[in-house]
Amino acid sequence: MKLKFAGIVDHSTLDYPGKSAAVVYLCGCPYRCPWCQNPELVFEEGCTMVEITQIIEKLNENFLLDAVCVTGGEPLMQENAIELLKRIKQETGLLLKIDHNGYFPKRLKEALPYLDFFTTDIKAPLNEKYGAAVGLPKNWENIVERVKKSHEILKNWDGKKEARTTIVPGLIDTKEDVGAIAKVVNDVGFEICTLQQFRPEKTLDPKFKFIKSPTAEKMQELGEEAKKYLPDTKVQVVTHEDGFQEID
Ligand code: SF4
């Protein structure tokens, strides 16, 4: 069984909290977030079809790993990704996490039994802003419906889960946006809420290269806004200047 695959990073300390992780990059994505930093994966450039067995063998060669993060693009874009997750869990003994964008609730349900940790984007409040944030404004209703179905599934999953939002000036960057997203984070029961700073170095939409990153101060302010709605949740902001910072 094969998958469209872009590569493996052998050792990351950023992709699975507190663990040494391999990162498996799969190709394709149903969204077109204008600020996306991995457009080559979205457009499947430089991707090859590989046997799942080859990925498993590669993971088993590395004796220093604790965990695997399967990411993209969107890892659940390909149906065969479920088989990959199943085989990683059964054949490597490593902790397993995926980064998901909420668009595939049925596949999410199939994936969860194999996962130890789960990260998903909540890109915007669950209204027409979601369509703008993922670069598909006309499809916002369908997208929001699918994201809500994913959230319903996650509410009933007791594994560890993190919600992430990228703060993009002019798109998603107000206290109202962050407050609305934080209410969703609370409702679904995520343990961690992460606000990450938009970076303009590489973007899917070339116009976004001219947008400046939000300042560290602005990120802190939005983190504090989120914390108001999430007193019992770990709220953190990630900036180029200061790295990960937890909001008290
Ligand atoms: S940022 Fe958006 S377009 Fe890029 S991979 Fe993630 S969900 Fe897809």
Side-chain angles (χ1 to χ4, degrees):
M1 198 179 275
K2 291 185 172 183
L3 278 168
K4 259 181 249 160
F5 165 84
I8 296 186
V9 168
D10 281 337
H11 172 73
S12 162
T13 52
L14 297 175
D15 288 87
Y16 199 114
K19 303 291 178 192
S20 166
V23 186
V24 176
Y25 290 92
L26 300 182
C27 299
C29 183
Y31 295 164
R32 295 292 181 266
C33 308
W35 46 268
C36 175
Q37 296 190 312
N38 293 317
E40 65 282 0
L41 298 182
V42 175
F43 296 120
E44 304 183 6
E45 291 161 3
C47 294
T48 49
M49 294 300 290
V50 300
E51 290 286 348
I52 289 175
T53 300
Q54 285 175 263
I55 301 174
I56 301 292
E57 282 171 0
K58 177 91 178 145
L59 293 171
N60 278 332
E61 276 168 18
N62 188 339
F63 299 114
L64 300 174
L65 288 176
D66 307 308
V68 186
C69 173
V70 181
T71 188
E74 166 47 52
L76 299 185
M77 180 86 173
Q78 303 177 70
E79 206 174 350
N80 287 355
I82 304 299
E83 182 66 15
L84 173 68
L85 300 176
K86 181 178 170 189
R87 289 192 57 189
I88 290 174
K89 205 62 213 161
Q90 292 177 345
E91 296 176 36
T92 72
L94 296 166
L95 294 166
L96 179 56
K97 173 197 161 203
I98 64 168
D99 298 328
H100 178 48
N101 68 19
Y103 191 76
F104 293 104
K106 264 176 73 182
R107 286 184 196 160
L108 170 64
K109 203 170 186 178
E110 291 174 65
L112 286 176
Y114 306 117
L115 303 182
D116 301 286
F117 188 21
F118 176 81
T119 298
T120 193
D121 299 324
I122 301 182
K123 292 179 184 284
L126 300 180
N127 56 34
E128 64 276 14
K129 277 204 158 192
Y130 219 95
V134 302
L136 300 168
K138 289 186 189 150
N139 295 349
W140 75 267
E141 283 168 292
N142 173 42
I143 291 166
V144 166
E145 194 183 324
R146 295 175 77 123
V147 170
K148 283 182 176 171
K149 278 187 188 156
S150 292
H151 290 172
E152 285 307 311
I153 292 163
L154 287 170
K155 275 183 195 172
N156 297 313
W157 184 62
D158 53 11
K160 192 171 177 185
K161 47 191 183 270
E162 174 184 13
R164 285 190 188 166
T165 300
T166 301
I167 302 301
V168 188
L171 196 58
I172 301 298
D173 66 341
T174 65
K175 285 187 176 180
E176 291 71 30
D177 292 333
V178 167
I181 291 167
K183 284 180 196 166
V184 175
V185 170
N186 191 46
D187 184 43
V188 178
F190 287 96
E191 281 88 347
I192 307 169
C193 172
T194 303
L195 302 182
Q196 52 198 17
Q197 185 186 39
F198 160 77
R199 305 286 305 156
E201 287 83 9
K202 186 167 60 159
T203 59
L204 186 145
D205 180 339
K207 292 197 286 297
F208 277 67
K209 289 196 176 73
F210 301 101
I211 294 176
K212 284 195 179 142
S213 293
T215 62
E217 292 72 28
K218 169 92 177 175
M219 293 297 296
Q220 175 79 20
E221 196 182 294
L222 293 177
E224 286 166 9
E225 184 67 16
K227 189 70 185 172
K228 283 186 197 167
Y229 301 90
L230 296 164
D232 302 323
T233 303
K234 179 177 177 178
V235 175
Q236 57 187 5
V237 296
V238 191
T239 62
H240 178 64
E241 296 89 339
D242 301 321
F244 283 81
Q245 286 207 308
E246 187 168 348
I247 307 290
D248 295 323

mmCIF file with all atom_site columns, all heavy atoms in Angstrom, residues 11 14 51 78 104 106 132 144 151 154 167 176 185 187 190 194 206 246:
data_model
loop_
_atom_site.group_PDB
_atom_site.id
_atom_site.type_symbol
_atom_site.label_atom_id
_atom_site.label_alt_id
_atom_site.label_comp_id
_atom_site.label_asym_id
_atom_site.label_entity_id
_atom_site.label_seq_id
_atom_site.pdbx_PDB_ins_code
_atom_site.Cartn_x
_atom_site.Cartn_y
_atom_site.Cartn_z
_atom_site.occupancy
_atom_site.B_iso_or_equiv
_atom_site.pdbx_formal_charge
_atom_site.auth_seq_id
_atom_site.auth_comp_id
_atom_site.auth_asym_id
_atom_site.auth_atom_id
_atom_site.pdbx_PDB_model_num
ATOM 1   N N   . HIS A 1 11  ? 15.006  13.757 13.380 1.00 0.00 ? 11  HIS A N   1
ATOM 2   C CA  . HIS A 1 11  ? 15.071  14.110 14.802 1.00 0.00 ? 11  HIS A CA  1
ATOM 3   C C   . HIS A 1 11  ? 14.560  15.536 14.999 1.00 0.00 ? 11  HIS A C   1
ATOM 4   O O   . HIS A 1 11  ? 15.175  16.482 14.524 1.00 0.00 ? 11  HIS A O   1
ATOM 5   C CB  . HIS A 1 11  ? 16.525  14.011 15.289 1.00 0.00 ? 11  HIS A CB  1
ATOM 6   C CG  . HIS A 1 11  ? 16.714  14.530 16.673 1.00 0.00 ? 11  HIS A CG  1
ATOM 7   N ND1 . HIS A 1 11  ? 16.268  13.853 17.785 1.00 0.00 ? 11  HIS A ND1 1
ATOM 8   C CD2 . HIS A 1 11  ? 17.260  15.672 17.134 1.00 0.00 ? 11  HIS A CD2 1
ATOM 9   C CE1 . HIS A 1 11  ? 16.561  14.570 18.866 1.00 0.00 ? 11  HIS A CE1 1
ATOM 10  N NE2 . HIS A 1 11  ? 17.156  15.681 18.488 1.00 0.00 ? 11  HIS A NE2 1
ATOM 11  N N   . LEU A 1 14  ? 10.772  19.725 18.517 1.00 0.00 ? 14  LEU A N   1
ATOM 12  C CA  . LEU A 1 14  ? 9.682   20.711 18.544 1.00 0.00 ? 14  LEU A CA  1
ATOM 13  C C   . LEU A 1 14  ? 8.316   20.112 18.229 1.00 0.00 ? 14  LEU A C   1
ATOM 14  O O   . LEU A 1 14  ? 7.292   20.729 18.487 1.00 0.00 ? 14  LEU A O   1
ATOM 15  C CB  . LEU A 1 14  ? 9.954   21.814 17.502 1.00 0.00 ? 14  LEU A CB  1
ATOM 16  C CG  . LEU A 1 14  ? 11.203  22.661 17.734 1.00 0.00 ? 14  LEU A CG  1
ATOM 17  C CD1 . LEU A 1 14  ? 11.413  23.613 16.574 1.00 0.00 ? 14  LEU A CD1 1
ATOM 18  C CD2 . LEU A 1 14  ? 11.081  23.437 19.045 1.00 0.00 ? 14  LEU A CD2 1
ATOM 19  N N   . GLU A 1 51  ? 5.978   2.970  -0.578 1.00 0.00 ? 51  GLU A N   1
ATOM 20  C CA  . GLU A 1 51  ? 5.305   1.908  0.164  1.00 0.00 ? 51  GLU A CA  1
ATOM 21  C C   . GLU A 1 51  ? 5.318   2.255  1.658  1.00 0.00 ? 51  GLU A C   1
ATOM 22  O O   . GLU A 1 51  ? 6.345   2.726  2.177  1.00 0.00 ? 51  GLU A O   1
ATOM 23  C CB  . GLU A 1 51  ? 6.038   0.574  -0.028 1.00 0.00 ? 51  GLU A CB  1
ATOM 24  C CG  . GLU A 1 51  ? 5.928   -0.033 -1.407 1.00 0.00 ? 51  GLU A CG  1
ATOM 25  C CD  . GLU A 1 51  ? 4.545   -0.635 -1.690 1.00 0.00 ? 51  GLU A CD  1
ATOM 26  O OE1 . GLU A 1 51  ? 3.753   -0.786 -0.733 1.00 0.00 ? 51  GLU A OE1 1
ATOM 27  O OE2 . GLU A 1 51  ? 4.277   -0.929 -2.861 1.00 0.00 ? 51  GLU A OE2 1
ATOM 28  N N   . GLN A 1 78  ? -5.065  11.588 2.423  1.00 0.00 ? 78  GLN A N   1
ATOM 29  C CA  . GLN A 1 78  ? -4.965  10.291 1.740  1.00 0.00 ? 78  GLN A CA  1
ATOM 30  C C   . GLN A 1 78  ? -5.568  9.195  2.619  1.00 0.00 ? 78  GLN A C   1
ATOM 31  O O   . GLN A 1 78  ? -5.184  9.063  3.789  1.00 0.00 ? 78  GLN A O   1
ATOM 32  C CB  . GLN A 1 78  ? -3.509  9.949  1.448  1.00 0.00 ? 78  GLN A CB  1
ATOM 33  C CG  . GLN A 1 78  ? -2.800  11.006 0.621  1.00 0.00 ? 78  GLN A CG  1
ATOM 34  C CD  . GLN A 1 78  ? -1.339  10.674 0.411  1.00 0.00 ? 78  GLN A CD  1
ATOM 35  O OE1 . GLN A 1 78  ? -1.008  9.752  -0.313 1.00 0.00 ? 78  GLN A OE1 1
ATOM 36  N NE2 . GLN A 1 78  ? -0.459  11.430 1.046  1.00 0.00 ? 78  GLN A NE2 1
ATOM 37  N N   . PHE A 1 104 ? -11.475 16.326 7.761  1.00 0.00 ? 104 PHE A N   1
ATOM 38  C CA  . PHE A 1 104 ? -11.823 14.927 7.464  1.00 0.00 ? 104 PHE A CA  1
ATOM 39  C C   . PHE A 1 104 ? -12.355 14.206 8.713  1.00 0.00 ? 104 PHE A C   1
ATOM 40  O O   . PHE A 1 104 ? -11.676 13.324 9.267  1.00 0.00 ? 104 PHE A O   1
ATOM 41  C CB  . PHE A 1 104 ? -10.593 14.187 6.919  1.00 0.00 ? 104 PHE A CB  1
ATOM 42  C CG  . PHE A 1 104 ? -10.140 14.682 5.583  1.00 0.00 ? 104 PHE A CG  1
ATOM 43  C CD1 . PHE A 1 104 ? -9.023  15.486 5.478  1.00 0.00 ? 104 PHE A CD1 1
ATOM 44  C CD2 . PHE A 1 104 ? -10.840 14.358 4.436  1.00 0.00 ? 104 PHE A CD2 1
ATOM 45  C CE1 . PHE A 1 104 ? -8.603  15.953 4.236  1.00 0.00 ? 104 PHE A CE1 1
ATOM 46  C CE2 . PHE A 1 104 ? -10.439 14.822 3.192  1.00 0.00 ? 104 PHE A CE2 1
ATOM 47  C CZ  . PHE A 1 104 ? -9.315  15.628 3.094  1.00 0.00 ? 104 PHE A CZ  1
ATOM 48  N N   . LYS A 1 106 ? -14.537 11.840 9.258  1.00 0.00 ? 106 LYS A N   1
ATOM 49  C CA  . LYS A 1 106 ? -14.669 10.371 9.211  1.00 0.00 ? 106 LYS A CA  1
ATOM 50  C C   . LYS A 1 106 ? -13.309 9.704  9.384  1.00 0.00 ? 106 LYS A C   1
ATOM 51  O O   . LYS A 1 106 ? -13.145 8.736  10.132 1.00 0.00 ? 106 LYS A O   1
ATOM 52  C CB  . LYS A 1 106 ? -15.285 9.933  7.882  1.00 0.00 ? 106 LYS A CB  1
ATOM 53  C CG  . LYS A 1 106 ? -16.803 9.732  7.991  1.00 0.00 ? 106 LYS A CG  1
ATOM 54  C CD  . LYS A 1 106 ? -17.433 9.404  6.681  1.00 0.00 ? 106 LYS A CD  1
ATOM 55  C CE  . LYS A 1 106 ? -17.122 7.989  6.234  1.00 0.00 ? 106 LYS A CE  1
ATOM 56  N NZ  . LYS A 1 106 ? -17.727 7.706  4.918  1.00 0.00 ? 106 LYS A NZ  1
ATOM 57  N N   . ALA A 1 132 ? -12.095 32.579 4.611  1.00 0.00 ? 132 ALA A N   1
ATOM 58  C CA  . ALA A 1 132 ? -11.008 33.503 4.240  1.00 0.00 ? 132 ALA A CA  1
ATOM 59  C C   . ALA A 1 132 ? -9.671  32.981 4.758  1.00 0.00 ? 132 ALA A C   1
ATOM 60  O O   . ALA A 1 132 ? -8.659  33.025 4.055  1.00 0.00 ? 132 ALA A O   1
ATOM 61  C CB  . ALA A 1 132 ? -11.292 34.885 4.812  1.00 0.00 ? 132 ALA A CB  1
ATOM 62  N N   . VAL A 1 144 ? -16.801 24.816 7.645  1.00 0.00 ? 144 VAL A N   1
ATOM 63  C CA  . VAL A 1 144 ? -17.143 24.975 9.071  1.00 0.00 ? 144 VAL A CA  1
ATOM 64  C C   . VAL A 1 144 ? -17.951 23.769 9.564  1.00 0.00 ? 144 VAL A C   1
ATOM 65  O O   . VAL A 1 144 ? -17.731 23.269 10.680 1.00 0.00 ? 144 VAL A O   1
ATOM 66  C CB  . VAL A 1 144 ? -17.898 26.303 9.301  1.00 0.00 ? 144 VAL A CB  1
ATOM 67  C CG1 . VAL A 1 144 ? -18.555 26.342 10.672 1.00 0.00 ? 144 VAL A CG1 1
ATOM 68  C CG2 . VAL A 1 144 ? -16.934 27.481 9.149  1.00 0.00 ? 144 VAL A CG2 1
ATOM 69  N N   . HIS A 1 151 ? -14.830 18.422 15.716 1.00 0.00 ? 151 HIS A N   1
ATOM 70  C CA  . HIS A 1 151 ? -14.817 18.826 17.130 1.00 0.00 ? 151 HIS A CA  1
ATOM 71  C C   . HIS A 1 151 ? -15.727 17.930 17.970 1.00 0.00 ? 151 HIS A C   1
ATOM 72  O O   . HIS A 1 151 ? -15.388 17.587 19.104 1.00 0.00 ? 151 HIS A O   1
ATOM 73  C CB  . HIS A 1 151 ? -15.236 20.290 17.267 1.00 0.00 ? 151 HIS A CB  1
ATOM 74  C CG  . HIS A 1 151 ? -14.205 21.242 16.731 1.00 0.00 ? 151 HIS A CG  1
ATOM 75  N ND1 . HIS A 1 151 ? -14.427 22.589 16.593 1.00 0.00 ? 151 HIS A ND1 1
ATOM 76  C CD2 . HIS A 1 151 ? -12.928 21.030 16.299 1.00 0.00 ? 151 HIS A CD2 1
ATOM 77  C CE1 . HIS A 1 151 ? -13.338 23.166 16.111 1.00 0.00 ? 151 HIS A CE1 1
ATOM 78  N NE2 . HIS A 1 151 ? -12.425 22.247 15.918 1.00 0.00 ? 151 HIS A NE2 1
ATOM 79  N N   . LEU A 1 154 ? -13.849 14.857 18.680 1.00 0.00 ? 154 LEU A N   1
ATOM 80  C CA  . LEU A 1 154 ? -12.753 15.102 19.636 1.00 0.00 ? 154 LEU A CA  1
ATOM 81  C C   . LEU A 1 154 ? -13.254 15.267 21.064 1.00 0.00 ? 154 LEU A C   1
ATOM 82  O O   . LEU A 1 154 ? -12.558 14.917 22.019 1.00 0.00 ? 154 LEU A O   1
ATOM 83  C CB  . LEU A 1 154 ? -11.969 16.345 19.222 1.00 0.00 ? 154 LEU A CB  1
ATOM 84  C CG  . LEU A 1 154 ? -11.083 16.152 18.002 1.00 0.00 ? 154 LEU A CG  1
ATOM 85  C CD1 . LEU A 1 154 ? -10.548 17.487 17.531 1.00 0.00 ? 154 LEU A CD1 1
ATOM 86  C CD2 . LEU A 1 154 ? -9.932  15.197 18.306 1.00 0.00 ? 154 LEU A CD2 1
ATOM 87  N N   . ILE A 1 167 ? -1.744  33.609 14.106 1.00 0.00 ? 167 ILE A N   1
ATOM 88  C CA  . ILE A 1 167 ? -2.193  35.008 14.134 1.00 0.00 ? 167 ILE A CA  1
ATOM 89  C C   . ILE A 1 167 ? -1.620  35.715 12.897 1.00 0.00 ? 167 ILE A C   1
ATOM 90  O O   . ILE A 1 167 ? -0.403  35.868 12.766 1.00 0.00 ? 167 ILE A O   1
ATOM 91  C CB  . ILE A 1 167 ? -1.728  35.702 15.432 1.00 0.00 ? 167 ILE A CB  1
ATOM 92  C CG1 . ILE A 1 167 ? -2.274  34.949 16.669 1.00 0.00 ? 167 ILE A CG1 1
ATOM 93  C CG2 . ILE A 1 167 ? -2.154  37.171 15.442 1.00 0.00 ? 167 ILE A CG2 1
ATOM 94  C CD1 . ILE A 1 167 ? -3.784  34.850 16.756 1.00 0.00 ? 167 ILE A CD1 1
ATOM 95  N N   . GLU A 1 176 ? -11.409 39.905 19.414 1.00 0.00 ? 176 GLU A N   1
ATOM 96  C CA  . GLU A 1 176 ? -12.710 39.242 19.167 1.00 0.00 ? 176 GLU A CA  1
ATOM 97  C C   . GLU A 1 176 ? -12.475 37.878 18.504 1.00 0.00 ? 176 GLU A C   1
ATOM 98  O O   . GLU A 1 176 ? -13.100 36.885 18.877 1.00 0.00 ? 176 GLU A O   1
ATOM 99  C CB  . GLU A 1 176 ? -13.600 40.111 18.273 1.00 0.00 ? 176 GLU A CB  1
ATOM 100 C CG  . GLU A 1 176 ? -14.115 41.376 18.913 1.00 0.00 ? 176 GLU A CG  1
ATOM 101 C CD  . GLU A 1 176 ? -13.026 42.437 19.133 1.00 0.00 ? 176 GLU A CD  1
ATOM 102 O OE1 . GLU A 1 176 ? -12.046 42.481 18.352 1.00 0.00 ? 176 GLU A OE1 1
ATOM 103 O OE2 . GLU A 1 176 ? -13.153 43.196 20.115 1.00 0.00 ? 176 GLU A OE2 1
ATOM 104 N N   . VAL A 1 185 ? -12.186 26.284 21.869 1.00 0.00 ? 185 VAL A N   1
ATOM 105 C CA  . VAL A 1 185 ? -11.154 25.452 22.519 1.00 0.00 ? 185 VAL A CA  1
ATOM 106 C C   . VAL A 1 185 ? -11.691 24.922 23.850 1.00 0.00 ? 185 VAL A C   1
ATOM 107 O O   . VAL A 1 185 ? -11.537 23.745 24.190 1.00 0.00 ? 185 VAL A O   1
ATOM 108 C CB  . VAL A 1 185 ? -9.861  26.285 22.747 1.00 0.00 ? 185 VAL A CB  1
ATOM 109 C CG1 . VAL A 1 185 ? -8.866  25.533 23.626 1.00 0.00 ? 185 VAL A CG1 1
ATOM 110 C CG2 . VAL A 1 185 ? -9.230  26.643 21.403 1.00 0.00 ? 185 VAL A CG2 1
ATOM 111 N N   . ASP A 1 187 ? -14.910 24.618 24.737 1.00 0.00 ? 187 ASP A N   1
ATOM 112 C CA  . ASP A 1 187 ? -16.059 23.744 24.493 1.00 0.00 ? 187 ASP A CA  1
ATOM 113 C C   . ASP A 1 187 ? -15.622 22.327 24.097 1.00 0.00 ? 187 ASP A C   1
ATOM 114 O O   . ASP A 1 187 ? -16.191 21.336 24.547 1.00 0.00 ? 187 ASP A O   1
ATOM 115 C CB  . ASP A 1 187 ? -16.919 24.380 23.388 1.00 0.00 ? 187 ASP A CB  1
ATOM 116 C CG  . ASP A 1 187 ? -18.181 23.602 23.146 1.00 0.00 ? 187 ASP A CG  1
ATOM 117 O OD1 . ASP A 1 187 ? -18.810 23.203 24.135 1.00 0.00 ? 187 ASP A OD1 1
ATOM 118 O OD2 . ASP A 1 187 ? -18.537 23.388 21.971 1.00 0.00 ? 187 ASP A OD2 1
ATOM 119 N N   . PHE A 1 190 ? -9.831  21.021 24.726 1.00 0.00 ? 190 PHE A N   1
ATOM 120 C CA  . PHE A 1 190 ? -8.402  20.876 24.430 1.00 0.00 ? 190 PHE A CA  1
ATOM 121 C C   . PHE A 1 190 ? -7.590  21.161 25.694 1.00 0.00 ? 190 PHE A C   1
ATOM 122 O O   . PHE A 1 190 ? -7.921  22.073 26.461 1.00 0.00 ? 190 PHE A O   1
ATOM 123 C CB  . PHE A 1 190 ? -7.980  21.870 23.339 1.00 0.00 ? 190 PHE A CB  1
ATOM 124 C CG  . PHE A 1 190 ? -8.481  21.515 21.965 1.00 0.00 ? 190 PHE A CG  1
ATOM 125 C CD1 . PHE A 1 190 ? -9.642  22.082 21.460 1.00 0.00 ? 190 PHE A CD1 1
ATOM 126 C CD2 . PHE A 1 190 ? -7.790  20.611 21.165 1.00 0.00 ? 190 PHE A CD2 1
ATOM 127 C CE1 . PHE A 1 190 ? -10.112 21.755 20.191 1.00 0.00 ? 190 PHE A CE1 1
ATOM 128 C CE2 . PHE A 1 190 ? -8.248  20.284 19.900 1.00 0.00 ? 190 PHE A CE2 1
ATOM 129 C CZ  . PHE A 1 190 ? -9.410  20.852 19.417 1.00 0.00 ? 190 PHE A CZ  1
ATOM 130 N N   . THR A 1 194 ? -2.531  26.964 21.590 1.00 0.00 ? 194 THR A N   1
ATOM 131 C CA  . THR A 1 194 ? -1.302  27.616 21.145 1.00 0.00 ? 194 THR A CA  1
ATOM 132 C C   . THR A 1 194 ? -1.622  28.672 20.097 1.00 0.00 ? 194 THR A C   1
ATOM 133 O O   . THR A 1 194 ? -2.325  28.393 19.123 1.00 0.00 ? 194 THR A O   1
ATOM 134 C CB  . THR A 1 194 ? -0.338  26.572 20.533 1.00 0.00 ? 194 THR A CB  1
ATOM 135 O OG1 . THR A 1 194 ? -0.080  25.564 21.501 1.00 0.00 ? 194 THR A OG1 1
ATOM 136 C CG2 . THR A 1 194 ? 0.973   27.203 20.100 1.00 0.00 ? 194 THR A CG2 1
ATOM 137 N N   . PRO A 1 206 ? 1.714   34.830 -2.727 1.00 0.00 ? 206 PRO A N   1
ATOM 138 C CA  . PRO A 1 206 ? 2.889   35.714 -2.716 1.00 0.00 ? 206 PRO A CA  1
ATOM 139 C C   . PRO A 1 206 ? 2.617   37.069 -2.066 1.00 0.00 ? 206 PRO A C   1
ATOM 140 O O   . PRO A 1 206 ? 3.534   37.680 -1.512 1.00 0.00 ? 206 PRO A O   1
ATOM 141 C CB  . PRO A 1 206 ? 3.220   35.905 -4.204 1.00 0.00 ? 206 PRO A CB  1
ATOM 142 C CG  . PRO A 1 206 ? 2.491   34.831 -4.928 1.00 0.00 ? 206 PRO A CG  1
ATOM 143 C CD  . PRO A 1 206 ? 1.345   34.375 -4.074 1.00 0.00 ? 206 PRO A CD  1
ATOM 144 N N   . GLU A 1 246 ? 4.436   30.365 28.029 1.00 0.00 ? 246 GLU A N   1
ATOM 145 C CA  . GLU A 1 246 ? 3.128   30.067 28.616 1.00 0.00 ? 246 GLU A CA  1
ATOM 146 C C   . GLU A 1 246 ? 2.531   31.328 29.222 1.00 0.00 ? 246 GLU A C   1
ATOM 147 O O   . GLU A 1 246 ? 3.243   32.137 29.834 1.00 0.00 ? 246 GLU A O   1
ATOM 148 C CB  . GLU A 1 246 ? 3.262   28.968 29.684 1.00 0.00 ? 246 GLU A CB  1
ATOM 149 C CG  . GLU A 1 246 ? 1.906   28.525 30.177 1.00 0.00 ? 246 GLU A CG  1
ATOM 150 C CD  . GLU A 1 246 ? 1.942   27.246 31.008 1.00 0.00 ? 246 GLU A CD  1
ATOM 151 O OE1 . GLU A 1 246 ? 2.967   26.545 31.048 1.00 0.00 ? 246 GLU A OE1 1
ATOM 152 O OE2 . GLU A 1 246 ? 0.898   26.958 31.622 1.00 0.00 ? 246 GLU A OE2 1
#
